Amino acid sequence: MKNNRVCEILDIKYPIIQGGMAWVADSSLAAAVSEGGGLGVIAGANAPIDYIREEIRKTKTLTDKPFGVNIMLLSPNAEELSKLVCEEGVKVVTTGAGNPGKYMDMWKKHNIKVIPVVASVALALRMERSGADAIVVEGCEAGGHIGELTTMTLVPQVKDAVKIPVIAAGGIGDGRGVVAALSLGAEGVQVGTRFLVAEECNIHKNYKEKVLKAKDIDTIVTGRSTGHPVRALKNKLARQFQKLEKEGASLEEIESLGRGALPKAVRDGDVDYGSVMAGQIAGLIKKEQPAKDIIEEMFNEAFQVINVLKDRI
Ligand code: TUI
């Protein structure tokens, strides 16, 4: 890959990183993405610290290539996990759902490449000043915990505000999305939803089937009233959320409905009452494939799209 700082900084073949999807992104998926030429990422989420240590060690046995760990900053284990990545010699950290400023010096001292996920220009600027190596700029087309702005509007605004490389996320599922992201000024993409259906992704088959069957209008955002908006596929749980929010239920009532809902779907396969987090691009995703094929297909398609575009204007 020519002239691409994301590939240079991360020492990867294709400028694609896998979303650090909570309860989903384990050593199997992370190693497969890294072996496929992208950057695989293990999700820290709120898993026990010993489990994450084992997942990091397992990934090292599955691939010699670089991989990362995602730290979800709303999680109670964020502090402990921030130290663990230093102890285990992890090369890349991505963060989500907050400001990782207080950990940056420690990570930099351990030569860790830090890539915070941001949803605003203000946080992007703060992260650059704190020493971030690159930033993932995530639009609200993404699945899971999201910000307010779309990928189309946020990526160019962040690009104009910072010098570090921008990696676009939210709504990217094929080569057209890759080219669109590069056109907006990104030097790479982060992909979550399409990797949900990677062969090496160990989520329950009901979850994969629900993603594969999803149509364009099948996601919904709940939790706007609590300040923690989350995008997931519509189901009975989402309708319960919507009803509670419309009725003006208490914060505690709404948040308790969401507690444990993600593992219920990911692990137990309860796609009615569990939270089936996925992005708006789910409607585009039609088949299960090895992670390597997903990556190669996306970049082959991107090259073809660029060739067509050259003659269009
Ligand atoms: O973090 C994510 N996506 C996630 S985390 C997650 S785990 C979860 N489980 C149950 C309920 C809720 C979440 C599922 N999906 N994406 C990265 C992301 N970060 N998107 C938006 C943000 C963000 C938003 C506001 C980052 C920082 C921020 O403001 C921080 C500040 O201090 O300004």
Side-chain angles (χ1 to χ4, degrees), residues 38-271:
L39 186 85
V41 175
I42 300 166
N46 45 17
I49 214 81
D50 289 337
Y51 168 79
I52 302 166
R53 185 182 287 109
E54 282 315 305
E55 285 301 293
I56 293 171
R57 291 182 182 178
K58 240 193 249 175
T59 309
K60 286 179 188 164
T61 68
L62 295 170
T63 183
D64 292 330
K65 301 206 160 66
F67 64 91
V69 171
N70 176 267
I71 301 182
M72 213 281 260
L73 296 160
L74 286 174
S75 164
N77 73 1
E79 178 96 35
E80 235 185 325
L81 194 46
S82 300
K83 293 180 189 143
L84 179 76
V85 291
C86 299
E87 285 162 24
E88 292 297 318
V90 170
K91 296 209 166 65
V92 185
V93 164
T94 67
T95 65
N99 178 351
K102 65 176 176 174
Y103 306 120
M104 295 289 260
D105 284 348
M106 177 174 69
W107 290 335
K108 299 312 307 175
K109 271 187 202 128
H110 285 83
N111 276 326
I112 295 176
K113 304 285 183 210
V114 184
I115 311 184
V117 180
V118 304
S120 69
V121 171
L123 189 58
L125 282 167
R126 242 184 289 156
M127 293 299 93
E128 182 174 54
R129 281 198 294 271
S130 309
D133 295 277
I135 31 175
V136 172
V137 175
E138 189 185 272
C140 61
E141 297 94 323
H145 178 76
I146 53 170
E148 277 292 327
L149 297 173
T150 59
T151 306
M152 182 90 163
T153 56
L154 186 58
V155 171
Q157 293 187 69
V158 173
K159 170 69 189 168
D160 285 352
V162 301
K163 293 193 180 66
I164 53 175
V166 165
I167 298 163
I172 302 165
D174 66 8
R176 292 170 296 183
V178 171
V179 177
L182 298 182
S183 307
L184 295 172
E187 284 177 63
V189 294
Q190 178 184 272
V191 169
T193 303
R194 186 150 178 199
F195 284 126
L196 284 172
V197 299
E199 276 176 14
E200 300 87 352
C201 179
N202 288 319
I203 58 176
H204 197 284
K205 70 175 191 338
N206 296 353
Y207 201 124
K208 284 195 184 181
E209 272 164 22
K210 197 160 168 75
V211 172
L212 291 169
K213 280 194 192 132
K215 298 191 301 293
D216 54 351
I217 56 167
D218 284 349
T219 73
I220 185 172
V221 179
T222 58
R224 283 213 162 96
S225 67
T226 66
H228 291 143
V230 168
R231 183 181 299 285
L233 292 176
K234 289 177 187 168
N235 63 2
K236 292 189 170 122
L237 174 73
R239 276 186 276 279
Q240 284 180 337
F241 257 117
Q242 242 185 333
K243 186 162 175 285
L244 280 183
E245 288 195 89
K246 267 193 197 131
E247 289 167 359
S250 70
L251 199 71
E252 171 50 27
E253 234 182 314
I254 299 171
E255 294 213 320
S256 73
L257 189 61
R259 233 163 265 144
L262 186 55
K264 203 187 265 185
V266 171
R267 206 186 43 199
D268 310 340
D270 184 350
V271 292

